[in-house]
Structures are given as C-alpha cells and as structure tokens.
Amino acid sequence: MKRSIEDTRSLVDPTLGLRHFELHRFEPDPPLDRFIDRFWVAQWDLDEPFDQKVLSFPAVHIIFEDGQATISTLWRDEFVRRLEGRGQVVGLMFRSGGFEPFLQ
C-alpha cells in the first residue's frame, strides 16, 4: 500500500482539526484500486472533547470503529464528529460505482 498525497478536502478548518487528531490516507494497490479510492485512518488522544466539521465525499465509505463496521453514503450537508478521549477510526472510500459489485 502506498502513502497517498496528504489532503484535507473533507475537513472544515483542517488547520484547527489537525491540531487535535492525525489523519493518514493511503492508496490501495491493484487490483483493489479499481474499486477503492483510498484507505484512511484518524487517531486522537485528547484531554478535552473536540468537534470536527466534515464534508462528505460523494462516495460510499466503510468505517471501522470500536469493533463495529458501518457503511456510510453521501451526506448532503456537513456533519460534526465529536472526538473524545483516545480513539481511532479506520475507513475505506470506494471510487464512484466501485461499491456496486460488492452488493451482490
């Protein structure tokens, strides 16, 4: 897996956010790169809660946190993610149309 270019496109006020958490994005290797745009990991260790505003990418995500997996689709508006204590979220973002073959 290759390290992806660091970008902050989904974060509202990324300068502030990245003072409270780390965000890493990785490009998938073939053949997964036909379906998956990127893998991503967010980690934090906070004394005080922090609310991060996020804009959704127009894509399907599978998000792993606290032993659970969630499928997330496009949100029309920004949403707020509260980060508290210590935590980590791991996700993958599918390319446009890339999730459809897995629905079967």
Side-chain angles (χ1 to χ4, degrees), residues 7-103:
D7 72 59
T8 56
R9 286 182 284 171
S10 63
L11 304 177
V12 176
D13 196 356
T15 302
L16 176 63
L18 293 175
R19 284 190 230 148
H20 293 88
F21 62 91
E22 293 181 24
L23 177 63
H24 304 283
R25 294 175 171 159
F26 304 90
E27 297 174 2
D29 291 326
L32 292 177
D33 62 345
R34 291 181 44 216
F35 307 103
I36 298 171
D37 182 76
R38 67 184 64 169
F39 297 97
W40 53 269
V41 179
Q43 298 172 305
W44 60 92
D45 188 0
L46 302 171
D47 294 326
E48 301 285 328
F50 175 72
D51 291 335
Q52 175 62 54
K53 292 181 183 177
V54 180
L55 298 172
S56 178
F57 275 93
V60 173
H61 292 255
I62 297 180
I63 301 165
F64 302 91
E65 183 176 18
D66 295 331
Q68 296 185 6
T70 304
I71 296 174
S72 174
T73 58
L74 177 65
W75 294 64
R76 299 188 113 186
D77 300 313
E78 70 183 24
F79 63 94
V80 175
R81 173 60 201 258
R82 176 160 276 220
L83 305 177
E84 297 182 274
R86 183 182 217 178
Q88 174 175 284
V89 177
V90 177
L92 56 101
M93 182 174 88
F94 284 86
R95 294 189 178 282
S96 180
F99 187 69
E100 193 273 331
F102 298 96
L103 291 174

